[in-house]
Amino acid sequence: MRMPFTEFLTNGDLKFVIILYAFLITAIIYFIKKIANKSQQENYNLKMNKLVNWSLFICVFSLLLGLMHSFYFISKAKGIANHLLFGGLSNVIITPVLGISIAMIIKLLTIPLKEKN
């Protein structure tokens, strides 16, 4: 059984998911500007590479914060059932996977455009 794609896109930590989608939208805007103004494409590629780096930082931070919250609530419950533990840990991993996917998409947008002669 696989996780539905829409559930994957919406089940992460909301604050990080919003930030990651904002990065993706910003990168798409930069890509459109890069296509329109090919003389400035290196400048836009640098900006998109910064978005890739920030996406990866957000991934690591969301993973660590999610693990911290999961283990905090496990300790408060004074024990936990396996289905709760694995369900919580799967939700912790969703946001970093989404962030890495978005970072890869942004990285693909930084491929230099070839000018027609």
Side-chain angles (χ1 to χ4, degrees), residues 1-116:
M1 177 183 263
R2 294 182 179 169
M3 175 184 282
F5 187 66
T6 55
E7 191 174 324
F8 168 74
L9 293 176
T10 58
N11 258 7
D13 192 353
L14 185 61
K15 59 187 165 285
F16 294 118
V17 170
I18 290 172
I19 291 169
L20 290 169
Y21 284 135
F23 287 168
L24 181 61
I25 291 168
T26 305
I28 291 171
I29 291 170
Y30 285 152
F31 181 71
I32 292 170
K33 288 181 179 181
K34 182 173 95 167
I35 290 173
N37 190 359
K38 291 185 180 182
S39 64
Q40 294 288 323
Q41 75 174 301
E42 283 303 317
N43 185 25
Y44 291 119
N45 282 342
L46 288 173
K47 290 180 180 182
M48 287 190 281
N49 280 328
K50 287 181 185 179
L51 289 174
V52 169
N53 291 336
W54 276 105
S55 296
L56 295 176
F57 289 141
I58 292 292
C59 292
V60 171
F61 185 65
S62 69
L63 177 67
L64 295 174
L65 190 63
L67 286 172
M68 183 182 72
H69 283 153
S70 292
F71 289 122
Y72 172 77
F73 289 118
I74 289 170
S75 69
K76 286 294 181 187
K78 307 262 194 277
I80 192 156
N82 285 339
H83 70 282
L84 293 176
L85 175 65
F86 296 130
L89 291 178
S90 69
N91 281 336
V92 166
I93 295 172
I94 288 174
T95 307
V97 170
L98 178 66
I100 291 171
S101 302
I102 287 176
M104 289 189 308
I105 292 169
I106 295 171
K107 193 64 178 171
L108 286 174
L109 295 177
T110 63
I111 295 173
L113 300 174
K114 294 181 180 177
E115 293 187 29
K116 293 183 180 179

